[in-house]
Amino acid sequence: LEKFIMTAKTVKDLFIHSLSDIYSAEKQMTKSLPQLARAATNEELSAAFKTHLEETQGQIDRIDRLVEGAGIRLKRVKCVAMEGLVEEGREQIEEIEQGPVLDTALIAAAQKVEHYEIAAYGSLIALAKQLGETEAATLLAETLEEEKATDERLSLLAEQKVAAEALGK
Amino acid sequence: LEKFIMTAKTVKDLFIHSLSDIYSAEKQMTKSLPQLARAATNEELSAAFKTHLEETQGQIDRIDRLVEGAGIRLKRVKCVAMEGLVEEGREQIEEIEQGPVLDTALIAAAQKVEHYEIAAYGSLIALAKQLGETEAATLLAETLEEEKATDERLSLLAEQKVAAEALGK
């Protein structure tokens, strides 16, 4: 989602548009994840955010490679949906004191981000396949698997450690 | 995500807050889905949006029942993340002419909404279980399954019919 007017007339336009959007979203996450890592009290959660920051930087590099390989040029757009999702995490950090309840809220906020990305990469893979861009589809599928794994890691944390701590609260 | 200040001090506060947020999100979807159904050219896609509108109304009723059963009161909040996601669909309807490329864009926008909801209900179920609200957890799990099924239906449409039509474009 972006603020500029979109003129997608073909599947390829839509692919470039959607790729530019997720590129913006990932860039935003590289700024948000260090804040989430600092705000988290549970050490495993903090470590999960740091690991995902490294993954996110790799995902940005992967888009750069994909763009080069496919000979396309990304548009300068700002993903405002991700802006809203990042804002959610920031508000929670401001409003809830550090501890297990904040940790639970941060996990929920981060899982919304992961699911935004899971949906976005799923659609991008479908578009890449339609366009016969098999190399791009393979690269995007690698990122999709990382996003799914992060989501699952966060679910486990929510159900186990952090949950027990938050209830003790 | 909402515009008001959140003061979640306990897991229960967070549960009520998150439930109020998804309630707002679902209400917004009841206004957006008829627009998506009208904008879609592919008949199966249009029908999928209409079916999901009925489901969404059932999901709102389910939250009403849950709130009554758990003896809690929802807060008046507006989910601005969903506002952004709905806006994405609306922009695409304005900017892309009706036909298979728009249909593809509408599917992608709707899948982002579904994934937002999948993440939100997943977190709500974890919170309900922590609070020992098993009846609430069961109701929320029914909705989660509907959201996942809708997402899968949209994926199938993206990969099959609509894709073939969009490429012919």
Side-chain angles (χ1 to χ4, degrees):
Chain A
L1 173 52
E2 42 98 333
K3 284 166 180 165
F4 301 81
I5 285 173
M6 178 171 59
T7 46
K9 303 236 181 305
T10 66
V11 173
K12 183 149 191 184
D13 292 336
L14 194 59
F15 178 68
I16 294 170
H17 176 83
S18 308
L19 198 60
S20 306
D21 186 75
I22 196 72
Y23 195 78
S24 158
E26 297 289 12
K27 287 270 188 186
Q28 290 182 54
M29 281 313 289
T30 61
K31 288 174 193 161
S32 171
L33 283 163
Q35 292 169 6
L36 297 178
R38 271 196 302 274
T41 301
N42 181 287
E43 282 179 23
E44 279 185 55
L45 179 59
S46 186
F49 287 141
K50 283 176 196 155
T51 302
H52 193 51
L53 173 61
E54 283 170 37
E55 271 177 356
T56 301
Q57 280 153 345
Q59 290 165 356
I60 291 170
D61 293 343
R62 210 175 267 146
I63 296 177
D64 285 329
R65 267 186 289 151
L66 184 166
V67 162
E68 216 183 294
I72 56 179
R73 186 187 285 202
L74 294 186
K75 288 188 271 182
R76 282 177 161 273
V77 299
K78 175 119 193 184
C79 177
V80 289
M82 185 58 77
E83 231 172 353
L85 292 167
V86 164
E87 178 61 20
E88 179 171 50
R90 196 156 36 213
E91 276 181 17
Q92 284 164 337
I93 292 169
E94 278 172 23
E95 301 301 333
I96 308 177
E97 66 173 311
Q98 277 205 310
V101 175
L102 177 59
D103 282 0
T104 305
L106 293 179
I107 291 173
Q111 286 193 292
K112 286 177 181 171
V113 168
E114 288 315 303
H115 274 277
Y116 181 85
E117 297 180 341
I118 288 167
Y121 283 109
S123 298
L124 277 165
I125 292 166
L127 289 173
K129 283 181 182 166
Q130 280 179 56
L131 293 167
E133 294 279 359
T134 47
E135 174 67 18
T138 304
L139 287 168
L140 293 165
E142 284 171 27
T143 296
L144 178 60
E145 288 315 307
E146 288 174 357
E147 306 293 9
K148 284 182 180 173
T150 299
D151 179 56
E152 278 165 31
R153 205 174 305 135
L154 291 170
S155 284
L156 274 178
L157 277 171
E159 282 164 24
Q160 298 168 354
K161 290 232 162 176
V162 177
E165 290 164 8
L167 269 196
K169 181 78 186 167
Chain B
L1 177 51
E2 42 100 332
K3 283 167 182 166
F4 302 82
I5 285 173
M6 177 171 60
T7 46
K9 303 234 180 306
T10 66
V11 173
K12 184 150 190 183
D13 292 336
L14 193 60
F15 179 67
I16 294 171
H17 177 84
S18 307
L19 198 60
S20 306
D21 185 77
I22 196 71
Y23 195 78
S24 159
E26 297 289 13
K27 287 271 185 185
Q28 291 182 52
M29 281 314 290
T30 61
K31 289 175 193 160
S32 170
L33 283 162
Q35 293 168 5
L36 297 177
R38 272 196 302 276
T41 301
N42 181 286
E43 282 178 22
E44 279 185 56
L45 178 60
S46 187
F49 287 140
K50 284 176 195 154
T51 301
H52 194 52
L53 173 61
E54 284 171 36
E55 271 176 354
T56 301
Q57 280 153 345
Q59 291 165 355
I60 290 169
D61 293 344
R62 210 174 269 146
I63 296 177
D64 285 329
R65 268 186 289 149
L66 184 167
V67 162
E68 217 182 294
I72 56 178
R73 186 187 283 201
L74 293 185
K75 290 188 273 181
R76 283 176 160 273
V77 298
K78 176 120 193 183
C79 177
V80 290
M82 185 59 78
E83 231 174 352
L85 292 167
V86 164
E87 177 62 21
E88 179 172 50
R90 196 156 36 214
E91 276 181 16
Q92 283 163 338
I93 292 169
E94 279 172 22
E95 300 302 334
I96 308 175
E97 68 174 308
Q98 277 205 309
V101 176
L102 177 58
D103 282 359
T104 305
L106 293 179
I107 291 174
Q111 286 193 292
K112 285 177 182 171
V113 168
E114 288 315 304
H115 274 277
Y116 181 84
E117 296 181 340
I118 288 167
Y121 283 110
S123 298
L124 277 165
I125 291 166
L127 290 173
K129 283 181 182 166
Q130 280 178 57
L131 293 166
E133 295 278 0
T134 48
E135 174 67 18
T138 305
L139 286 168
L140 293 165
E142 285 172 25
T143 296
L144 178 61
E145 288 315 307
E146 288 174 0
E147 306 294 8
K148 283 183 180 171
T150 299
D151 179 57
E152 278 166 29
R153 206 175 303 135
L154 291 170
S155 282
L156 274 177
L157 278 170
E159 281 164 23
Q160 297 169 355
K161 289 233 159 177
V162 176
E165 290 165 7
L167 269 195
K169 179 80 187 167

